Amino acid sequence: HTTSPAVCDVWFFPEFLSNLRFLCFSGQKIERLFLAFQSPKMFPVSLFFFCLPLLCLSYSSETVSVATAADLIELFNSAKGSSVDVDIDVKADLDFSQANLILPLGAHSSGTCVSYNGVLHGNGHVVSGVSMSNKDKYPAYSHAGLFCSLRDAVVENLVIDSSCIFVGSHAGSLCVSVRGSLKVVNVTNKAYVKGRSSVGGFVGEARDLVKDVLLSFEKCVNDGKVTGDDSVGGFFGYVFNSTNSRIAI
């Protein structure tokens, strides 16, 4: 345990705090943890859980419902700043065949990338019709993936269909790069992914991760074909410049 002079003057668990956002929004049951109230020795822990609703409130996030591919594209096109921080609730299958998604969500031809930092609830729906080939199209941004970057994000209950194609210098069906924690649950990739280097079934590359950052995949399957010239993998293409980070598959 460590002592913090900050919120509520209680003891904090570093591992727990690093995943507080996941706990607040993933629907995990924490009732059993309130057994701490029964022990006087655990009073600091009890006080922590008394303050937990305030902590979760500080992490609260807007939820946006998405019913079409155009809705999702518009959400990123209208983003202000360097990230999209809302949670996304997918209400229907997303067909991109008429949406003309040329670059990953959040990416711009100038080379900039707006990362996704929220929780995406796929609700079992299917992403289809993405045909992205950027290997030589834009000099400043030549990569391919549904998102350009995921940072401290959760993606759950989604299928990326075999009708999708992602071709770029770096490529991954879910995202080109990860720059923070990532939790992926019950996601299946069936898309074709191809690139020069850093080519993964889900993630092209994970880089610049700080100590104790966790990248986790639970109940995920890559059924898509993944090909490249260098650094190719079924889940990740390449992980680098990351000290003491953890990957769980």
Side-chain angles (χ1 to χ4, degrees):
H1 299 104
T2 59
T3 303
S4 169
V7 182
C8 301
D9 193 27
V10 299
W11 293 350
F12 292 100
F13 303 101
E15 177 80 14
F16 179 80
L17 283 180
S18 68
N19 292 284
L20 178 62
R21 178 178 175 79
F22 297 157
L23 180 62
C24 291
F25 295 104
S26 66
Q28 298 178 31
K29 294 182 178 180
I30 62 171
E31 290 88 347
R32 64 186 184 279
L33 299 179
F34 280 87
L35 292 174
F37 280 105
Q38 298 178 4
S39 172
K41 294 180 180 180
M42 297 296 287
F43 175 75
V45 178
S46 302
L47 189 57
F48 171 81
F49 284 109
F50 176 78
C51 298
L52 180 61
L54 297 177
L55 288 172
C56 287
L57 184 62
S58 70
Y59 276 81
S60 63
S61 176
E62 175 188 359
T63 298
V64 175
S65 294
V66 168
T68 66
D71 291 342
L72 189 57
I73 292 172
E74 177 57 28
L75 176 63
F76 280 82
N77 286 347
S78 60
K80 308 294 183 184
S82 60
S83 65
V84 172
D85 301 321
V86 301
D87 294 346
I88 298 173
D89 190 25
V90 180
K91 295 295 189 181
D93 292 347
L94 304 179
D95 182 2
F96 285 83
S97 60
Q98 303 299 318
N100 196 31
L101 184 66
I102 299 173
L103 292 173
L105 295 166
H108 298 275
S109 58
S110 62
T112 60
C113 171
V114 176
S115 65
Y116 179 59
N117 298 28
V119 180
L120 187 147
H121 305 282
N123 298 314
H125 291 297
V126 177
V127 173
S128 64
V130 179
S131 183
M132 190 178 296
S133 182
N134 293 329
K135 190 179 292 186
D136 301 306
K137 188 172 293 183
Y138 299 103
Y141 196 94
S142 59
H143 314 308
L146 185 59
F147 296 92
C148 64
S149 179
L150 296 175
R151 183 192 299 265
D152 302 329
V154 180
V155 180
E156 59 184 20
N157 303 317
L158 191 70
V159 175
I160 302 176
D161 189 65
S162 59
S163 61
C164 297
I165 299 173
F166 299 94
V167 179
S169 293
H170 304 331
S173 67
L174 188 59
C175 67
V176 176
S177 69
V178 171
R179 300 296 181 91
S181 62
L182 175 64
K183 183 176 183 179
V184 184
V185 181
N186 195 30
V187 175
T188 298
N189 172 54
K190 300 180 180 181
Y192 175 53
V193 183
K194 181 180 180 180
R196 289 197 178 100
S197 64
S198 298
V199 186
F202 288 98
V203 176
E205 63 178 21
R207 60 184 299 173
D208 304 327
L209 304 179
V210 298
K211 182 178 180 180
D212 292 332
V213 162
L214 175 63
L215 309 178
S216 70
F217 286 79
E218 303 174 14
K219 301 178 182 178
C220 296
V221 177
N222 175 42
D223 279 337
K225 183 178 180 180
V226 182
T227 64
D229 300 326
D230 187 37
S231 301
V232 181
F235 279 65
F236 291 90
Y238 192 35
V239 179
F240 67 103
N241 197 27
S242 302
T243 303
N244 296 323
S245 57
R246 296 169 295 154
I247 298 176
I249 298 176

